[in-house]
Amino acid sequence: MRFGYILSPDSQLGEGEKVFAAEVAARTGGRFIIEDYPNAMLGGEVAMMNDVKLGALDVAFITGAPLPKLLPEAGVFNIPFLFRDAGEARVVLDGPIGNDYLTKFNQTGLHALAWGENGMRHITNSKRPIRTPEDLAGLKLRLPQSDVMTAGFKALGADVQQIPFPRVYGTLRGGSVDGEENPIATILSTKFYEVQTYLTLTGHVYDPAVIIMSADAFDALSEADKRIFKEAARLAGRQSRKIASEVERTGVATLKANGMVVIEKVDKLAFAERVAAASPEFEKEFGRDEIEKIKSAAAAASQMEGPAAEAAEPGRTPQ
């Protein structure tokens, strides 16, 4: 079975794929072999989602930003500053809300196996330090194919362009856009530091990822094999979270060593207040009750202490 994703083999998605492949092979006695297709070898994420839906691709690890192209309701997770940190988001996605969305994916013509993680997204650019929302005014910023994130950054004053991930590095190098935003692990694995000067640690969006499988391929499995694939995906998702957390903690120093200027102290409240201008648009699309339900679950997660919180995000200090 072919397994596609857009990042490198040593990225958070790639490390998840390795776990998935190893678990499937071991638990099925080698009856199923997972072939690795990293670095957008099979196309961008929208293309891969379509291929999985059509049965032309067996499995893919898709990040959160383009998921609304498959399931519009999933765009709610693209709302900037919906979650305070990854720990909150993981608790929500591992609970009833996250399970409900996995079920919704299953109604789109494919099968969602498990949640994984891309990471907290931060802003990079080649023009100037970004310290306040005003600094984004007029900045040509690449965004993923997410209308929700586009609405949020337009509220911040950026000149936004939706560009598929495989084209981002070349677009930045050519100077037709000034910046982009991605998790630390992605910025490192794709070497964006070679074409970007400034990094601002906004943590503006928690970007999940989901392992999806062709419905034809999944339905052809025995009940025992279905359980194996789901468990392998759960462990793969956990591994992607582990890698994303580790790089979030250590990667900033690496980016500094590669010449990036890092703005660590950010008034997130000022950014969030500016994004609030797009709230009516978000509420119209997803429903105010749904957004508040997610925010309430996130707030409850932030109060967690002890083992539950540690399981949600290894190394996270409960607040």
Side-chain angles (χ1 to χ4, degrees):
M1 291 187 173
R2 296 188 304 163
F3 188 122
Y5 53 99
I6 59 170
L7 300 180
S8 66
D10 61 352
S11 68
Q12 60 275 35
L13 303 187
E15 294 295 336
E17 185 279 337
K18 292 173 188 175
V19 169
F20 183 81
E23 292 291 334
V24 167
R27 292 167 184 254
T28 65
R31 288 185 291 111
F32 292 93
I33 301 299
I34 306 300
E35 297 178 347
D36 184 31
Y37 287 85
N39 295 315
M41 290 173 62
L42 302 179
E45 292 190 303
V46 173
M48 283 194 287
M49 287 191 297
N50 289 333
D51 283 346
V52 172
K53 190 172 182 179
L54 292 171
L57 175 61
D58 301 302
V59 191
F61 210 161
I62 303 296
T63 62
L67 289 179
K69 301 292 184 183
L70 177 65
L71 180 70
E73 300 98 301
V76 71
F77 298 118
N78 291 173
I79 295 176
F81 303 103
L82 181 68
F83 297 112
R84 185 189 63 170
D85 56 27
E88 280 189 0
R90 290 169 180 173
V91 173
V92 173
L93 291 176
D94 289 344
I97 291 174
N99 289 332
D100 182 49
Y101 277 87
L102 288 179
T103 300
K104 291 178 180 179
F105 280 115
N106 296 344
Q107 298 166 0
T108 65
L110 46 77
H111 198 89
L113 297 178
W115 288 109
E117 181 170 303
N118 195 24
M120 298 299 296
R121 302 181 77 99
H122 307 284
I123 299 170
T124 73
N125 84 98
S126 59
K127 293 296 184 182
R128 56 181 177 268
I130 304 298
R131 294 188 173 89
T132 68
E134 289 74 21
D135 294 329
L136 282 170
L139 191 77
K140 295 179 181 178
L141 189 70
R142 175 269 173 181
L143 289 180
Q145 293 164 284
S146 166
D147 294 339
V148 176
M149 290 178 63
T150 296
F153 273 93
K154 282 184 176 179
L156 288 168
D159 178 5
V160 298
Q161 298 182 38
Q162 291 187 8
I163 299 173
F165 189 81
R167 293 172 47 202
V168 176
Y169 186 95
T171 303
L172 293 170
R173 183 175 58 187
S176 55
V177 295
D178 303 317
E180 58 83 52
E181 48 75 64
N182 259 300
I184 298 297
T186 302
I187 296 166
L188 274 170
S189 67
T190 53
K191 299 184 179 181
F192 284 156
Y193 54 81
E194 295 179 344
V195 289
Q196 298 280 267
T197 305
Y198 303 99
L199 165 66
T200 300
L201 300 179
T202 47
H204 51 274
V205 166
Y206 170 79
D207 202 24
V210 66
I211 298 175
I212 58 175
M213 186 171 179
S214 159
D216 289 343
F218 184 79
D219 292 341
L221 299 174
S222 68
E223 291 303 314
D225 285 340
K226 287 178 181 177
R227 290 191 292 272
I228 287 172
F229 271 69
K230 285 183 177 180
E231 177 62 12
R234 187 186 69 82
L235 295 173
R238 178 185 292 180
Q239 180 69 4
S240 70
R241 289 176 173 180
K242 178 183 177 183
I243 298 301
S245 285
E246 289 175 353
V247 179
E248 182 78 16
R249 288 192 292 267
T250 64
V252 172
T254 304
L255 291 172
K256 287 180 179 179
N258 279 280
M260 292 199 81
V261 177
V262 180
I263 295 86
E264 300 187 49
K265 294 183 178 180
V266 180
D267 186 354
K268 293 187 180 182
L269 181 59
F271 281 86
E273 288 176 345
R274 185 69 66 88
V275 169
S279 292
E281 184 175 343
F282 299 149
E283 291 175 0
K284 181 179 179 181
E285 184 167 357
F286 306 113
R288 183 174 183 178
D289 289 347
E290 183 69 10
I291 295 171
E292 289 302 320
K293 180 174 71 173
I294 294 172
K295 287 183 176 180
S296 294
S302 70
Q303 301 302 316
M304 292 173 59
E305 296 184 0
E310 292 168 9
E313 182 177 355
R316 175 176 183 244
T317 302
Q319 299 288 326

